[in-house]
Amino acid sequence: MKNKNKMIIMLRKSFFFVSLSVIALWSCDKGGTSGQEDEGKPLDGLSVSVESYSSSDGSEGYQLEFKDGDGIGLFAVKDGQVVAEISNLRLNAVGQDGGIVWKSSVEDLSLPDGAVFYAYYPYMESLDENSVDATAESAEDFFDSMADSWETAKDQSDPEDFYGSTLMIGSGVFSGGILSLSVSPFTQLVVFDFPGKVYHFTNTDYSIPDYEPVPSKTECFGFTPYTEGYKKYFVVNPAVADSLRGTYTDNGEERDWTFGYGFENTEDNCIVCTVGDGLELINHNLQVGDFFLYDGSLLAKDADIMDVLSVHVMGVVFQINPDRIGESEKEALGGTAHALVVSARHSATSLGALWPWFSDYDTGEFNRDESVIGLQQTLTKGDSKASFLAADSDISGYRNTHLILSERAADVENGMYPSFKVVSEFVQETGGPADNVVTTGWFLPSYGQMMDVLRAFSGYPLDVNEYFVDWGNDWYWDMPGAGDFTQFFNDAFAKINEDQKTYVSDAGFGFWTSTQADSETAWNISRGKDFVDTFCENKCNGGYVRPVLAF
């Protein structure tokens, strides 16, 4: 047999799978191709074990499992000839009680005494005694012709094509009425370690999917691997010396990569193809207060100040609860948002960083009902609790901002929506995040989101409680001894470089939110020592614009 040419890899999982199926007894009065009569012995049970793709050190691997409907081909050889009745006999995998049992496609089967048994997967109806070497003394030599010409799929992105590309061969022993088969991969598995960075969040409070700041730009030429999570796999025939090729991006520069397989100096049935520096997998407990960096990386909130000072910080995480992240934010990120980040600085001007929400400077009007484009009115006049609950339920500043930017585009460009315009240009002002980082981009936070910022940094719930004070159409929280909410806010940015952040003063000006109160007003949030205020502020008045983003 040609050298199997197993390559060097590292595979993580080793696996041994056995399933039994009791099969009814029968007598067989036919012999093998030798023409000798052999009544055989009844088959009482059948077991199949499969060896996984695995490196010799067990550090990498892929678990192989049979599923309902799979088939194995069985041959029996006696006296140097294939037994006619057991020539490519199909054994079927049948799902039962959450596992797999094996059954012969022939009922009441008997097996010839003294025969040698060979098996392969997946079953092929076209295989017969002319496709194998009955004089062989090993499964490798018995299936030599088939194995050496085995073709794997070029596109293995579908699980059926990936599993179907795997050829397993082996042999068995028939003893005490039990046929025990053991098969292992002849084909070889290439495990790709493509360059990139992935955060695996270890949180126990919320289930947060893995986060890849910058999607990998690795290309594969002429083949498509199978993907599970951040792992990619491709099955090859090690009897054929060949190579896999593609490109990857390194610091913005496209580079070629080539990986050869099927050479005699290989040992394992799995190999790792490391492209560039490979994948950097980071286990991280995502927390409110973590620092979000220019390149999309994260730095823990309790990181040493010198580590924070040495990087370019864009903002601070303030929300990780999936239920408080808007559906529009999630949709903008392909269905999954990991967290919300508030910028380390607000949009600045020479006049003190204060911007109107809306104003028609030509007419002096500031009355415009944005509900006609989809922004609900949340003010219930004379009922501050109802107004608060309506405003606080608005957790999609991304939706609000983009409705204004798209439906009022001409007026935005003409300067009638200053707070929204500066948000749309904020990436130029703040210098990031980088273009290739996966975020929603900056937007004006909704009322619920800006309140979540203050809740996150102060530790107070700020809901309808004993501190909530009704003040006509406005409301506030009067909390003696609570502390300075302005200081709580500024403390979240304390470790960041001075030129990367803006502290908020306690001068009475509040944060604009993108949540409309009514046609004339929108919600503005102020804060200070022992209090937080909410005003339905005239849209023409100035306020801070503190953008947020989702990643």
Side-chain angles (χ1 to χ4, degrees):
M1 163 143 184
K2 295 179 182 177
N3 193 323
K4 287 174 66 178
N5 299 321
K6 297 181 178 177
M7 302 169 95
I8 295 175
I9 298 200
M10 303 168 128
L11 272 135
R12 186 160 322 217
K13 306 172 186 170
S14 23
F15 171 69
F16 186 76
F17 180 82
V18 177
S19 58
L20 298 175
S21 173
V22 177
I23 301 179
L25 308 180
W26 78 309
S27 279
C28 177
D29 57 5
K30 295 183 180 180
T33 56
S34 64
Q36 297 176 351
E37 292 187 0
D38 185 354
E39 293 184 356
K41 294 181 178 180
L43 178 65
D44 297 325
L46 175 64
S47 72
V48 179
S49 67
V50 56
E51 179 184 329
S52 212
Y53 283 116
S54 181
S55 61
S56 56
D57 64 2
S59 60
E60 278 280 6
Y62 189 88
Q63 179 172 303
L64 294 170
E65 294 179 307
F66 291 115
K67 65 182 184 304
D68 182 62
D70 281 343
I72 284 178
L74 178 67
F75 289 85
V77 176
K78 187 171 182 180
D79 299 328
Q81 293 181 309
V82 174
V83 178
E85 291 82 357
I86 317 295
S87 177
N88 201 28
L89 175 68
R90 182 179 175 109
L91 306 178
N92 295 310
V94 179
Q96 182 174 304
D97 298 329
I100 292 293
V101 296
W102 288 93
K103 296 183 178 181
S104 170
S105 57
V106 175
E107 295 183 358
D108 301 328
L109 181 65
S110 289
L111 299 181
D113 191 26
V116 178
F117 297 91
Y118 298 110
Y120 73 94
Y121 167 88
Y123 180 81
M124 294 183 296
E125 189 174 358
S126 60
L127 213 62
D128 59 23
E129 63 273 9
N130 297 316
S131 309
V132 296
D133 182 0
T135 65
E137 296 182 357
S138 68
E140 288 83 358
D141 291 338
F142 184 80
F143 293 111
D144 179 50
S145 177
M146 174 187 67
D148 285 352
S149 60
W150 182 258
E151 292 186 4
T152 62
K154 292 297 184 183
D155 183 352
Q156 297 178 18
S157 56
D158 186 274
E160 291 295 325
D161 295 320
F162 171 63
Y163 276 91
S165 293
T166 291
L167 172 63
M168 290 187 279
I169 60 176
S171 57
V173 176
F174 182 49
S175 177
I178 305 297
L179 177 61
S180 300
L181 297 173
S182 178
V183 294
S184 61
F186 168 82
T187 45
Q188 191 170 55
L189 184 68
V190 180
V191 180
F192 290 99
D193 186 11
F194 286 144
K197 177 186 289 186
V198 171
Y199 285 88
H200 174 67
F201 296 121
T202 59
N203 294 58
T204 57
D205 47 359
Y206 301 107
S207 177
I208 306 175
D210 291 350
Y211 163 58
E212 186 177 15
V214 179
S216 173
K217 291 187 177 180
T218 304
E219 299 288 338
C220 301
F221 295 161
F223 73 100
T224 307
Y226 172 65
T227 301
E228 275 192 8
Y230 47 82
K231 291 276 193 178
K232 295 184 183 294
Y233 307 92
F234 193 74
V235 176
V236 298
N237 186 341
V240 180
D242 205 344
S243 61
L244 303 171
R245 298 178 177 85
T247 60
Y248 71 101
T249 301
D250 181 23
N251 292 322
E253 181 178 348
E254 187 175 276
R255 300 179 184 273
D256 296 328
W257 64 267
T258 301
F259 183 73
Y261 63 87
F263 299 96
E264 294 185 3
N265 62 347
T266 57
E267 299 175 358
D268 293 345
N269 69 3
C270 263
I271 36 182
V272 167
C273 168
T274 300
V275 176
D277 294 330
L279 178 69
E280 181 184 5
L281 181 62
I282 302 170
N283 290 321
H284 184 87
N285 183 42
L286 186 61
Q287 302 176 80
V288 166
D290 283 353
F291 300 99
F292 184 79
L293 309 187
Y294 170 82
D295 64 356
S297 298
L298 295 165
L299 198 60
K301 68 175 184 178
D302 55 359
D304 186 272
I305 187 172
M306 297 307 296
D307 292 332
V308 182
L309 290 172
S310 68
V311 293
H312 188 175
V313 179
M314 302 308 305
V316 175
V317 172
F318 71 89
Q319 185 58 268
I320 63 173
N321 181 355
D323 293 338
R324 289 291 291 178
I325 299 177
E327 290 303 314
S328 293
E329 282 79 349
K330 294 173 184 175
E331 290 171 8
L333 293 168
T336 299
H338 305 87
L340 296 175
V341 173
V342 60
S343 173
R345 59 199 301 176
H346 47 249
S347 186
T349 72
S350 59
L351 300 177
L354 299 175
W355 300 94
W357 200 96
F358 164 77
S359 184
D360 186 338
Y361 294 103
D362 292 335
T363 65
E365 292 292 327
F366 56 89
N367 185 332
R368 179 177 283 186
D369 184 8
E370 306 298 351
S371 64
V372 298
I373 64 169
L375 271 70
Q376 66 175 352
Q377 292 194 16
T378 53
L379 173 64
T380 300
K381 291 185 177 181
D383 190 342
S384 61
K385 290 183 179 179
S387 297
F388 164 72
L389 293 173
D392 197 47
S393 67
D394 182 4
I395 55 172
S396 189
Y398 179 87
R399 176 181 180 275
N400 299 342
T401 299
H402 284 270
L403 279 173
I404 294 292
L405 294 179
S406 61
E407 301 302 315
R408 305 295 197 197
D411 289 340
V412 170
E413 187 62 29
N414 290 331
M416 294 169 65
Y417 290 87
S419 291
F420 294 91
K421 184 173 177 59
V422 297
V423 163
S424 70
E425 299 171 346
F426 191 62
V427 67
Q428 287 81 35
E429 180 179 336
T430 194
D435 292 341
N436 57 353
V437 176
V438 180
T439 75
T440 57
W442 299 108
F443 55 88
L444 187 62
S446 66
Y447 180 84
Q449 289 170 335
M450 199 66 224
M451 285 300 298
D452 283 349
V453 171
L454 295 178
R455 291 173 177 128
F457 297 160
S458 71
Y460 291 103
L462 298 175
D463 54 13
V464 179
N465 54 25
E466 65 270 29
Y467 305 111
F468 184 92
V469 180
D470 185 336
W471 196 15
N473 290 334
D474 306 325
W475 59 87
Y476 63 95
W477 287 266
D478 184 12
M479 304 173 66
D484 189 337
F485 283 84
T486 298
Q487 191 62 47
F488 293 149
F489 183 89
N490 289 335
D491 285 348
F493 307 94
K495 294 181 181 179
I496 301 173
N497 268 305
E498 294 297 324
D499 61 355
Q500 296 175 10
K501 67 186 176 187
T502 309
Y503 280 139
V504 178
S505 67
D506 195 13
F509 294 105
F511 297 109
W512 270 128
T513 77
S514 58
T515 302
Q516 179 180 227
D518 63 9
S519 61
E520 295 184 351
T521 60
W523 297 115
N524 187 288
I525 304 171
S526 186
R527 78 282 109 215
K529 184 177 175 62
D530 301 334
F531 75 89
V532 173
D533 286 340
T534 296
F535 300 100
C536 52
E537 192 78 44
N538 287 335
K539 292 177 179 177
C540 62
N541 290 339
Y544 290 123
V545 172
R546 195 78 172 206
V548 304
L549 60 76
F551 71 88

